[in-house]
């Protein structure tokens, strides 16, 4: 069963330029899956495996946010950050919920489901697409020499350009807490997230230093085009893309 907890920014703005001839991606991901998980939650390894399956399939943008509110159970999640927890709290405000839980999968910034139920995740992705709430704006990105070039297509409204940096695959030996004695593989664990620009419905290009990838996540990054309901409350994700540094595998043990 999902674990519950009762409830109680991010900026590094870089130059943005609009370009009427910006390139766009030929195909879009089916959606964005943001998993809120913890090494200290006994219900989470199934969800971590589900996320791995989605990443291996390659047709969604999938990210893992390790939260820190279960660290008191006897094991400090080696990937947890307060910023990841704050993002989940922000989604809870958007959903009008008085609690958060793990494992939680947020789909396209619009709906949430049990992150351990892969069938439910896929059904929600399909349902949102059928309702016209899939990824409607083209987003693409690539590395050219020392630059990361992001291109965003046209659409309606405004949205933030958000980058989530993540690590590659990492196997962790958990030595205490609810998952004591288990080795769990973790994929696309978010290490940092920041807003790098604003999109106002026009085709837009951004150029960032490629060195950011090495500094903030050895796996790569996801570019999310995300509406904001308020200054600190996220909303729907309109488009997304992923840039990876190639396969990274690591085994870690932590006391």
């Amino acid at each position: 069963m999902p674990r519950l907890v009762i409830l109680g920014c991010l900026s590094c703005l870089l130059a943005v330029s609009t370009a009427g001839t910006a390139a766009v991606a030929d195909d879009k991901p089916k959606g964005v899956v943001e998993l809120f998980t913890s090494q200290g939650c006994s219900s989470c390894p199934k969800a971590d495996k589900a996320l791995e399956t989605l990443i291996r399939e390659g047709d969604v943008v999938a990210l893992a946010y390790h939260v820190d509110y279960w660290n008191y159970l006897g094991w400090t999640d080696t990937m947890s950050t307060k910023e990841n927890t704050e993002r989940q709290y922000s989604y809870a405000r958007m959903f009008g919920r008085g609690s958060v839980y793990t494992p939680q999968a947020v789909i396209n910034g619009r709906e949430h489901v049990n992150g351990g139920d892969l069938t439910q995740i896929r059904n929600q992705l399909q349902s949102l697409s059928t309702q016209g709430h899939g990824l409607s704006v083209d987003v693409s990105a690539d590395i050219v020499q020392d630059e990361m070039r992001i291109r965003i297509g046209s659409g309606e409204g405004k949205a933030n350009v958000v980058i989530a940096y993540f690590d590659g695959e990492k196997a962790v030996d958990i030595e205490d807490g609810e998952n004591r004695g288990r080795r769990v593989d973790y994929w696309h664990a978010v290490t940092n997230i920041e807003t790098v620009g604003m999109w106002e419905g026009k085709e837009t290009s951004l150029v960032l230093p490629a060195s950011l990838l090495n500094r903030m996540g050895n796996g790569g990054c996801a570019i999310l085009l995300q509406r904001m309901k308020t200054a600190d409350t996220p909303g729907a994700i309109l488009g997304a893309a992923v840039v990876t540094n190639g396969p990274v595998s690591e085994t870690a043990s932590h006391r």
Side-chain angles (χ1 to χ4, degrees):
M1 295 291 292
R3 297 292 302 274
L4 293 130
V5 62
I6 301 300
L7 278 179
C9 224
L10 307 163
S11 68
C12 180
L13 193 60
L14 300 175
V16 182
S17 63
T18 56
T21 59
V24 297
D26 293 330
D27 55 349
K28 303 183 191 71
K30 289 182 178 179
V32 176
V33 178
E34 296 177 274
L35 174 67
F36 293 91
T37 185
S38 172
Q39 295 171 10
C41 164
S42 61
S43 302
C44 287
K46 182 179 179 181
D48 300 320
K49 187 65 178 179
L51 192 80
E52 176 187 343
T53 298
L54 292 171
I55 292 168
R56 287 185 180 277
E57 290 173 351
D59 53 8
V60 302
V61 174
L63 300 166
Y65 296 85
H66 286 248
V67 298
D68 62 3
Y69 49 78
W70 296 128
N71 288 351
Y72 77 92
L73 293 177
W75 176 256
T76 298
D77 188 314
T78 61
M79 303 171 180
S80 65
T81 68
K82 65 181 180 61
E83 289 80 11
N84 289 345
T85 300
E86 288 168 359
R87 184 164 176 82
Q88 189 180 26
Y89 286 168
S90 297
Y91 271 130
R93 289 195 300 273
M94 190 268 288
F95 292 129
R97 291 179 54 87
S99 63
V100 293
Y101 65 94
T102 55
Q104 180 189 38
V106 175
I107 316 297
N108 292 357
R110 295 178 182 267
E111 299 289 346
H112 66 97
V113 299
N114 184 337
D117 190 332
L118 188 55
T119 298
Q120 194 175 18
I121 292 172
R122 287 175 168 150
N123 288 344
Q124 188 60 255
L125 284 164
Q126 182 58 51
S127 176
L128 287 172
S129 178
T130 300
Q131 296 168 29
H133 296 319
L135 303 185
S136 58
V137 179
D138 294 303
V139 178
S140 64
D142 56 7
I143 302 295
V144 179
Q145 296 180 345
D146 60 350
E147 298 176 345
M148 178 166 63
R149 300 179 181 177
I150 300 169
R151 294 167 295 278
I152 304 170
S154 60
E156 296 182 359
K158 295 182 179 182
N160 286 357
V161 182
V162 178
I163 298 187
Y165 302 92
F166 56 80
D167 281 337
E169 178 191 0
K170 183 179 292 185
V172 177
D173 294 316
I174 301 173
E175 299 171 0
D176 210 339
E178 292 188 351
N179 291 313
R180 181 177 182 176
R182 300 187 66 163
R183 170 175 286 196
V184 182
D185 291 330
Y186 295 104
W187 291 68
H188 288 196
V190 172
T191 59
N192 191 53
I193 183 168
E194 61 180 352
T195 299
V196 298
M198 173 70 74
W199 172 83
E200 297 183 329
K202 299 178 181 179
E203 293 185 353
T204 302
S205 296
L206 296 83
V207 178
L208 309 179
S211 59
L212 285 174
L213 287 179
N214 296 326
R215 203 165 73 236
M216 298 191 179
N218 64 26
C221 69
I223 297 94
L224 309 177
L225 186 65
Q226 186 161 35
R227 284 186 173 144
M228 300 297 291
K229 294 184 76 74
T230 69
D232 59 357
T233 303
I237 294 174
L238 307 180
V242 171
V243 176
T244 62
N245 281 338
V248 178
S249 182
E250 183 178 344
T251 300
S253 180
H254 174 75
R255 291 185 183 278

